[in-house]
Amino acid sequence: MCGITGWVSFGRDLRSQQATVDAMTETMSCRGPDDSGTWLAEHAALGHRRLAIIDLPGGRQPMSVQTPDGPVAMVYSGETYNFTELREELAGRSHRFETESDTEVVLHAYLEWGEAAAERFNGMYAFAIWDSRVDKLVMIRDRMGIKPFYYYPTNDGVLFGSEPKAILANPDAEHTVTLDGIRELFAFIKTPGHAIWNGMHEVEPGTIVTVTAQGLRTTRYWTLQTREHTDDRTTSVGHVRELLDDIVRRQLIADVPRCTLLSGGLDSSAMTAIAAQQLAEVGETVRSFAVDFVGQTENFVPDELRGTPDTPYVHDVAEKSRTEHQDIVLNSDELADPQVRSKVIRARDMPTGLGDMDASLYLLFKAIRSHSTVALSGESADEVFGGYKQFFDPKAREANTFPWLVRYDEHFGDDNAILTPELARSLRLDQYIQDAYDTAVGQIERLDGESDFEWQMRKICYLHLTHFVRILLDRKDRASMAVGLEVRVPFCDHRLVEYVYNTPWSLKTYDGREKSLLRGAAKDVLPQSVVQRVKSPYPSTQDPKYAVKLQQNAREYLSRQGHQVFDLVSREWLARAVEVDTPQITQASRKGLERTLDLALWLDMYQPTLKLY
């Protein structure tokens, strides 16, 4: 796992641009604390920061191969879990390897199969190859969008990086955010290809972007396709377990300490239990970590989203699977600390408004990093198997919009409420979201003979797997890589995603509950308490002191008359929100304060030019 960046210019000699390439590379030092490297040619420059996971001494980058027609150089971030098989196949085709790293295998796969090599990889990856034989840049991203990847076309080429900050470090990149960027910040839909910053784009998941002197071209090598599912219940459950066993076994491979993230829910518990079972076969013990808040378990108050605290279930799994477990317990001062918030904003390159859930994830990963370099997460199982409440909510099922937005205002408040009236009118968020929804559902293929109900559930599953999950994957990657921790996501293996996506909803819920296929596949390794537990989202602190800290931090901005945040946020709304008595602070007010503080810090940190009207 690493950070990559680069610059292609067909109109100038980049060999004189070492300082700029170094600056772009240095922005990602947190992603790669172990090593740094650059590679410069006339029209291409590559930069790399390395977090060493496999073949610690041999996987240095940028990596290049000299061919009779010129060098082929690559910068690579991520993991290719089937690199051993690919290495054997390539060795049989006369390729010779100098390291044990998956990076070298990916580079030789490109030499053998060209861009078609992407179809052979199983993993999470974002990489760029400069092929001097034909003066072409090739950028490839994994199927689910686990690893971030951005690019910025210029007048004579392109800039690229794992994160926007790498691109923004180049003088050719403008620091401009338009109404469209603000729309994307507030819509909570993760529009494919959108990067917030004007002129910047994502390399979309499952795509290949090539750049030559003739221009830029995007091709898709993977998409979520509709297929008929013919397996019965027993076969389906058995196949899901076979896949999980194989996926976890592959993703446990590392030359550094690894662990699991354990929440006590079905997803992370199943992954942890399977990992513990596999490692026990070779005499090893799984290390597991969970996040908790001071007093949360003792004073927990159930609400519509979270019916139970995590900790009792976490401990049940740790006991049954005999993990070496540690709870990371956080307090309100840490969660509301402006320095922590700044680090989260810097990691994300944007103000997400997720507040304590972002801060706690960052602090959890920071604590874990002192023990492990690789962690396995249960992320994405809810999207794959159908675990969220909106999958079962009649109102969400029937809505002509993204299902997680249907009750969003009820749970978190209306983001529009904090905006200046002028900005709220200009954004036209409802239309922006509707257009994005119509575009997304227009890409889904209906199965012949599929009932109206199954078709509607297919659309809901598709939207979660192509939009909602990418919000969480980006959050996970940025928070973990900000502290040099590689987090792997077994439930995003494309084989599992494709198989479960095409199982009918009646089979996904065969026991009348959420995630039936996963429960059936893993119940033999789980404590009964977890098997029976109802889905509970990622935890959020219930300590009223946290909201008080938010108010204290927000008051500072009210005294700063010319602050840019008031181009976006209503000063009148903020003045009211900071004076509300603690018992009357609603979830909507708390979220609005979090959003305001995030926006203010982002504006201070990045100094964007806002073009709003």
Side-chain angles (χ1 to χ4, degrees):
M1 198 81 97
C2 308
I4 66 172
T5 189
W7 182 6
V8 168
S9 172
F10 295 102
R12 70 183 98 176
D13 189 339
L14 294 182
R15 288 172 293 191
S16 63
Q17 299 296 321
Q18 183 71 59
T20 299
V21 177
D22 286 345
M24 296 169 69
T25 305
E26 183 59 26
T27 63
M28 296 178 299
S29 58
C30 291
R31 295 187 72 90
D34 297 329
D35 197 8
S36 178
T38 59
W39 183 94
L40 276 70
E42 182 178 2
H43 296 306
L46 307 177
H48 187 265
R49 292 291 312 208
R50 186 184 184 206
L51 176 63
I53 302 294
I54 293 175
D55 189 8
L56 306 190
R60 293 200 68 195
Q61 297 187 52
M63 187 174 285
S64 62
V65 171
Q66 187 65 43
T67 76
D69 299 313
V72 178
M74 179 176 77
V75 282
Y76 168 85
S77 171
E79 304 291 344
T80 300
Y81 301 122
N82 63 333
F83 79 97
T84 302
E85 298 98 308
L86 290 172
R87 181 188 177 95
E88 292 176 358
E89 183 177 358
L90 289 164
R93 293 171 175 260
S94 301
H95 288 261
R96 297 294 174 260
F97 296 91
E98 298 178 2
T99 75
E100 298 297 322
S101 70
D102 60 336
T103 304
E104 189 178 18
V105 172
V106 170
L107 181 53
H108 279 263
Y110 172 79
L111 292 173
E112 180 66 32
W113 297 300
E115 295 167 26
E119 301 171 17
R120 296 172 177 263
F121 301 140
N122 176 306
M124 55 178 189
Y125 46 81
F127 61 90
I129 294 174
W130 174 251
D131 191 339
S132 68
R133 299 172 300 180
V134 289
D135 277 356
K136 177 172 71 173
L137 179 73
V138 179
M139 297 181 284
I140 299 178
R141 191 177 181 196
D142 66 67
R143 296 169 179 83
M144 292 295 291
I146 305 168
K147 301 308 299 173
F149 203 179
Y150 297 86
Y151 67 96
Y152 184 104
T154 64
N155 290 334
D156 66 348
V158 71
L159 307 169
F160 68 84
S162 292
E163 298 178 353
K165 63 175 66 70
I167 294 170
L168 295 172
N170 189 297
D172 283 2
E174 294 183 4
H175 295 217
T176 301
V177 177
T178 66
L179 269 179
D180 238 17
I182 301 299
R183 289 183 181 110
E184 189 64 19
L185 281 177
F186 281 84
F188 204 62
I189 58 174
K190 196 70 172 76
T191 303
H194 208 299
I196 306 299
W197 298 92
N198 191 45
M200 193 182 299
H201 309 274
E202 263 191 328
V203 176
E204 291 190 35
T207 65
I208 303 167
V209 178
T210 59
V211 182
T212 66
Q214 286 68 50
L216 184 147
R217 177 175 61 91
T218 298
T219 57
R220 187 168 297 279
Y221 72 90
W222 183 84
T223 190
L224 196 55
Q225 294 183 341
T226 297
R227 299 188 182 97
E228 184 179 6
H229 185 84
T230 57
D231 292 345
D232 61 18
R233 179 197 300 180
T234 301
T235 304
S236 298
V237 170
H239 188 57
V240 167
R241 179 55 180 271
E242 289 173 4
L243 285 170
L244 288 175
D245 284 339
D246 180 67
I247 293 165
V248 172
R249 194 176 302 278
R250 289 177 182 274
Q251 298 198 18
L252 283 172
I253 295 173
D255 294 334
V256 293
R258 64 263 202 256
C259 66
T260 66
L261 307 177
L262 179 58
S263 71
L266 179 61
D267 320 333
S268 66
S269 299
M271 178 268 300
T272 296
I274 291 171
Q277 187 179 66
Q278 293 180 357
L279 289 181
E281 296 171 359
V282 293
E284 295 187 46
T285 300
V286 166
R287 295 201 68 164
S288 59
F289 294 88
V291 67
D292 197 6
F293 308 105
V294 173
Q296 182 95 329
T297 301
E298 299 83 354
N299 304 304
F300 183 81
V301 178
D303 59 30
E304 190 175 347
L305 288 178
R306 300 172 180 87
T308 52
D310 288 345
T311 301
Y313 300 93
V314 166
H315 293 173
D316 285 351
V317 176
E319 180 179 359
K320 182 174 178 61
S321 293
R322 299 180 179 180
T323 74
E324 184 181 337
H325 181 74
Q326 182 177 343
D327 292 325
I328 306 300
V329 183
L330 307 174
N331 61 51
S332 294
D333 287 340
E334 294 174 291
L335 295 172
D337 186 346
Q339 290 189 355
V340 171
R341 188 177 295 275
S342 293
K343 289 177 180 177
V344 171
I345 296 298
R346 181 63 179 167
R348 299 292 304 271
D349 287 316
M350 61 181 180
T352 64
L354 293 178
D356 72 303
M357 291 190 290
D358 266 358
S360 65
L361 192 67
Y362 169 83
L363 292 168
L364 170 66
F365 289 157
K366 182 180 178 182
I368 290 172
R369 183 60 176 90
S370 62
H371 304 281
S372 298
T373 311
V374 170
L376 271 65
S377 167
E379 191 85 88
S380 309
D382 286 305
E383 291 81 4
V384 174
F385 290 98
Y388 294 117
K389 287 182 179 293
Q390 57 261 25
F391 282 95
F392 301 87
D393 180 358
K395 185 178 178 181
R397 283 176 168 178
E398 296 165 6
N400 189 38
T401 190
F402 296 96
W404 55 90
L405 297 181
V406 171
R407 297 193 186 274
Y408 185 88
D409 291 356
E410 296 176 23
H411 296 313
F412 304 111
D414 181 6
D415 271 342
N416 275 322
I418 77 168
L419 299 175
T420 67
E422 298 82 11
L423 180 59
R425 285 193 296 269
S426 298
L427 285 178
R428 300 178 65 206
L429 270 181
D430 289 345
Q431 188 62 54
Y432 181 77
I433 291 169
Q434 190 62 53
D435 290 346
Y437 173 81
D438 292 342
T439 298
V441 297
Q443 298 169 346
I444 311 171
E445 182 183 0
R446 185 171 184 170
L447 190 69
D448 289 344
E450 194 168 49
S451 70
D452 289 345
F453 175 73
E454 286 286 353
W455 167 233
Q456 183 64 17
M457 295 313 298
R458 179 181 293 281
K459 288 190 286 186
I460 290 174
C461 292
Y462 181 94
L463 294 171
H464 279 84
L465 289 167
T466 57
H467 287 71
F468 191 74
V469 75
R470 295 176 187 173
I471 298 173
L472 302 184
L473 289 173
D474 185 76
R475 169 178 176 259
K476 175 272 308 171
D477 177 89
R478 302 298 195 88
S480 62
M481 293 307 293
V483 297
L485 177 71
E486 173 175 294
V487 177
R488 300 175 178 180
V489 278
F491 291 108
C492 274
D493 185 292
H494 71 278
R495 298 169 298 164
L496 181 69
V497 172
E498 291 171 346
Y499 185 79
V500 177
Y501 170 67
N502 282 298
T503 58
W505 184 250
S506 58
L507 188 52
K508 287 187 177 78
T509 57
Y510 68 78
D511 62 359
R513 297 187 56 189
E514 78 284 356
K515 297 184 284 195
S516 306
L517 287 172
L518 178 57
R519 184 177 295 103
K523 63 182 179 182
D524 63 304
V525 293
L526 294 173
Q528 194 61 25
S529 61
V530 172
V531 173
Q532 297 301 325
R533 188 186 185 194
V534 175
K535 162 70 183 173
S536 184
Y538 182 86
S540 177
T541 181
Q542 295 183 336
D543 187 351
K545 294 177 184 176
Y546 173 71
V548 174
K549 292 284 186 182
L550 293 178
Q551 289 179 308
Q552 293 172 352
N553 294 338
R555 283 192 184 96
E556 174 193 343
Y557 292 98
L558 282 172
S559 64
R560 297 166 63 177
Q561 292 298 322
H563 198 281
Q564 200 176 16
V565 73
F566 296 112
D567 291 339
L568 305 174
V569 174
S570 164
R571 181 181 288 274
E572 291 72 23
W573 176 88
L574 187 59
R576 292 192 301 270
V578 299
E579 298 303 330
V580 175
D581 290 338
T582 303
Q584 277 74 51
I585 296 178
T586 63
Q587 180 65 32
S589 293
R590 182 176 124 166
K591 186 174 184 301
L593 288 167
E594 290 175 326
R595 172 73 84 175
T596 300
L597 289 169
D598 280 2
L599 284 166
L601 284 169
W602 175 67
L603 291 166
D604 288 341
M605 202 175 298
Y606 287 85
Q607 296 290 308
T609 299
L610 299 179
K611 294 185 177 180
L612 306 179
Y613 305 105

